[in-house]
């Protein structure tokens, strides 16, 4: 066996060519194990995102349908003449959920006057506070699942180092070259090899756990103080309430608003092809939630969403540090720790070295894999930063503060991305090509929201919820005439 370069140089069944083939085979098999394990985590996170996204979109759809069903009889010709404005409201709400920035100057002017004259009573203020928190929590929550899945995908594709390839070959196939193909690797030996090979991956663990905890925290908000069922499912009712308040003092209010901002120009054109395409897609086919009267209870649908998500997130917290033991037991089929007749890297016997700790810094004395602890893998370091950024966003969302997002509509809904947003407001967008786009790290300029009690100054953009102001002003203008 003097010709062997990786396996022990005793009597052997292997030629140099066979050893090289085994090395290639072991590398491809181990990388396949990593990807398979990662796909399982990706599937869990993607399923949670898909479930919540469908649920949230369904709430909006049901609220919109309820408005369309009720408003024609309530407002008659006033509604039918201005139906586009109502449709635009829900289009803007969906865009905000998908993280687009939106800004209409006339509405900015109107909201300033609305804050001064309060034509709708306290309805817009109350709705804005509650809906801002609910939308911020919802879109951060949905985005968090996608970021977690994307991190796992990228990390699972990191190639093995040359030193790791040799160590994996020695672990998995050198017994064959010694005529011991039925002897399984010692468990602690396998752990040292895999911990050395996945040292950088283990360094994800801290930030990964923070992300899982943050998602759990926002889930509690979605099912608690920022309850999406109650807030999102009743938007149409609050709009009707706001319009009723306005009608009671329409004459004085409309004259003051029009005097300050000018008469609004109501577009008679139909919806854009992009809006039609969005509305043509049915994003809500998997769930049929009801808008509950109370925010908690066994019949409360969001409870089921949150309960399922929290169970999965809790189970995934330790994924990166338990990955070596999972691969050794399930894939490599290592023997038990007490077995003294296992493959120890040289022969059949016991494995004496201690098991290394987790992470790059703990591999300095790894007896099985030569690891340069001064050169961390840059791809994985970038993913650690992605986790930190997303965790920070979720932390802000947890306390009701708005956060900046790159448009994620391609990932989150498969539909349009709100490209009507002016360039000087949204800034330069990154390419949406899946291979180049990195929505997690590039912030968009602050949105033109207005501060409200208990919410961030970067709250839900005026063009979203305050489209109801334009509806109400149009109503007042019609009645005033």
């Amino acid at each position: 066996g003097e010709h062997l370069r990786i396996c022990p140089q005793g009597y052997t069944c292997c030629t140099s060519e066979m050893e090289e083939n085994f090395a290639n085979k072991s590398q491809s098999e181990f990388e396949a194990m990593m990807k398979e394990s990662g796909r399982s985590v990706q599937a869990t996170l993607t399923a949670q995102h898909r479930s919540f996204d469908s649920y949230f979109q369904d709430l909006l759809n049901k609220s919109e349908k309820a408005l369309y069903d009720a408003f024609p009889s309530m407002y008659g010709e006033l509604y039918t003449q201005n139906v586009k404005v109502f449709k635009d409201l829900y289009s803007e709400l969906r865009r905000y959920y998908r993280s687009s920035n939106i800004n209409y100057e006339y509405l900015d002017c109107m909201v300033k006057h609305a804050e001064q004259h309060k034509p709708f009573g306290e309805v817009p203020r109350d709705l804005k506070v509650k809906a801002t928190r609910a939308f911020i929590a919802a879109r951060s929550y949905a985005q968090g699942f996608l970021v977690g899945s994307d991190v796992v995908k990228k990390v699972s594709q990191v190639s093995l180092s040359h030193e790791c390839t040799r160590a994996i070959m020695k672990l998995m196939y050198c017994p064959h070259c010694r005529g011991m193909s039925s002897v399984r690797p010692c468990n602690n030996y396998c752990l040292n090899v895999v911990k050395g090979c996945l040292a950088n991956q283990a360094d994800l663990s801290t930030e990964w756990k923070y992300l899982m905890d943050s998602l759990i925290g926002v889930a509690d908000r979605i099912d608690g103080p920022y309850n999406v069922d109650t807030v999102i499912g009743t938007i149409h009712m609050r709009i009707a309430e706001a319009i009723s308040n306005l009608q009671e003092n329409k004459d004085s209010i409309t004259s003051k608003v029009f005097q300050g901002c000018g008469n609004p120009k109501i577009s008679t054109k139909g919806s854009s092809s992009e809006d039609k395409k969005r509305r043509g897609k049915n994003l809500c086919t998997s769930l049929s939630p009801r808008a509950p009267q109370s925010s908690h209870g066994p019949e409360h649908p969001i409870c089921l969403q949150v309960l399922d998500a929290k169970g999965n997130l809790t189970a995934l917290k330790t994924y990166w540090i338990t990955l070596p033991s999972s691969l050794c037991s399930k894939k490599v089929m290592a023997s038990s720790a007490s077995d003294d007749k296992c493959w120890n890297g040289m022969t059949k016997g016991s494995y004496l070295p201690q098991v290394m700790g987790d992470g790059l810094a703990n591999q300095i004395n790894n007896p099985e894999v030569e690891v340069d602890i001064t050169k961390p893998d840059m791809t994985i370091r970038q993913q650690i930063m992605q986790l930190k950024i997303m965790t920070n966003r979720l932390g802000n969302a947890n306390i009701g503060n708005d956060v900046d997002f790159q448009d994620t509509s391609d990932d989150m809904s498969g539909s349009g991305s709100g490209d009507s947003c002016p360039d000087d407001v949204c800034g330069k967008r990154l390419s949406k090509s899946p291979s180049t786009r990195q929505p997690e790290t590039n912030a968009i300029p602050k949105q033109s929201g207005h501060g409200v009690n208990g919410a961030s100054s970067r709250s839900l953009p005026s063009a979203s919820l305050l489209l109801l102001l334009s509806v109400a002003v149009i109503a007042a203008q019609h009645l005033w005439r």
Side-chain angles (χ1 to χ4, degrees), residues 205-206 208-210 212-213 216 310 312-322:
S205 182
T206 298
W208 177 262
K209 183 178 181 297
Y210 288 156
M212 300 297 106
D213 285 335
I216 290 173
K310 288 168 70 174
N312 283 313
L313 291 167
T314 299
L316 290 177
K317 282 185 184 182
T318 59
Y319 172 70
W320 295 107
I321 58 173
T322 58

Side-chain angles (χ1 to χ4, degrees), residues 55-76:
Y55 184 90
F56 189 85
Q57 298 270 11
D58 200 29
L59 282 177
L60 277 174
N61 285 356
K62 287 180 180 294
S63 174
E64 184 176 24
K65 183 179 185 301
L67 186 150
Y68 295 161
D69 289 345
F71 275 36
S73 59
M74 292 173 64
Y75 301 109

Side-chain angles (χ1 to χ4, degrees), residues 89 92 102-109 111 128 447-450 459-469:
L89 167 61
E92 295 304 296
I102 41 185
N103 178 35
Y104 292 93
E105 292 180 4
Y106 186 83
L107 290 180
D108 284 342
C109 181
V111 72
K128 186 178 180 182
Q447 299 167 354
S448 57
H450 298 266
S459 56
L460 198 64
S462 59
S464 289
L465 284 180
L466 291 176
L467 266 169
L468 72 87
L469 296 182

Side-chain angles (χ1 to χ4, degrees), residues 76-140:
E77 184 181 358
L78 172 63
Y79 168 77
T80 57
Q81 287 180 344
N82 299 288
V83 65
K84 180 181 182 299
V85 183
F86 292 93
K87 291 182 178 180
D88 284 348
L89 167 61
Y90 284 92
S91 293
E92 295 304 296
L93 290 175
R94 290 186 181 94
R95 279 203 215 161
Y96 184 74
Y97 170 63
R98 291 194 297 268
S99 310
S100 295
N101 284 359
I102 41 185
N103 178 35
Y104 292 93
E105 292 180 4
Y106 186 83
L107 290 180
D108 284 342
C109 181
M110 279 172 40
V111 72
K112 292 175 183 177
H113 284 268
E115 289 173 349
Q116 178 182 355
H117 304 302
K118 293 189 176 180
F120 319 104
E122 295 298 323
V123 174
R125 181 183 182 87
D126 179 63
L127 179 56
K128 186 178 180 182
V129 171
K130 292 178 179 178
T132 293
R133 290 171 172 172
F135 268 85
I136 289 169
R139 71 179 191 173
S140 301

